[in-house]
Amino acid sequence: DELLEHLYCENPEQFFFFFFGPNERPAVEKIERCAQMIGAKIIIIKERLSLYVCRLSICSRVVCNDSGAGHIAVAFGIPVTVIFGPVQPEMAMPYSQGIVNVVSKSFACKPCRSPICLTGTNICLKSIMVDDVMKMT
């Protein structure tokens, strides 16, 4: 929600698309509350993959986790900033001659490839600050 606020302040006229995946309801609800508080225009998308790709294709910039969104964005030539947690960027980042920014922190436990943080801290994600992402967008 802090990143949404920073991006909104940068350009209050922009729209934000959030792609809603399985088990993401709490995160999406948090984003919706934040958007209401600051007045940001958001669209929540939970549709089949073909519509997801179509909607992603009209974005002017994509900020995402290490997921398919980054790969789809570069296929359309859209500048992308990818946030990596427990995965090493070299293992999964989208490759393109276009703009691909990577936000990642190094830790002894990385890459762990575990679905649950083995240290119990989620430090690889929690150590990434909004300013780290803003510098790359």
Side-chain angles (χ1 to χ4, degrees):
D1 54 333
E2 190 179 340
L3 179 58
L4 173 63
E5 190 171 350
H6 275 73
L7 291 170
Y8 173 73
C9 289
E10 183 182 275
N11 180 0
E13 297 303 313
Q14 63 191 330
F15 278 80
F16 296 90
F17 291 89
F18 290 94
F19 300 96
F20 187 144
N23 305 316
E24 293 180 343
R25 178 160 301 286
V28 170
E29 289 172 350
K30 184 177 178 183
I31 289 166
E32 286 178 309
R33 285 191 302 275
C34 176
Q36 277 186 322
M37 285 178 30
I38 64 175
K41 299 173 218 97
I42 66 168
I43 298 172
I44 306 293
I45 299 168
K46 183 181 181 182
E47 297 169 341
R48 62 186 189 272
L49 185 59
S50 60
L51 287 174
Y52 170 85
V53 171
C54 184
R55 298 254 168 88
L56 190 60
S57 74
I58 66 169
C59 294
S60 59
R61 174 170 65 176
V62 172
V63 178
C64 60
N65 63 338
D66 58 330
S67 65
H71 298 278
I72 295 167
V74 300
F76 284 111
I78 301 166
V80 63
T81 299
V82 185
I83 301 167
F84 283 88
V87 175
Q88 290 288 47
E90 299 79 20
M91 297 170 68
M93 69 182 274
Y95 288 95
S96 170
Q97 293 182 356
I99 299 171
V100 178
N101 299 304
V102 171
V103 181
S104 179
K105 303 279 180 149
S106 295
F107 292 96
C109 58
K110 185 175 177 174
C112 69
R113 297 186 188 151
S114 175
I116 299 169
C117 179
L118 300 175
T119 68
T121 64
N122 289 321
I123 193 165
C124 59
L125 285 172
K126 290 184 178 179
S127 66
I128 297 172
M129 301 289 116
V130 170
D131 287 342
D132 299 325
V133 178
M134 291 301 294
K135 288 177 195 170
M136 301 304 284
T137 58

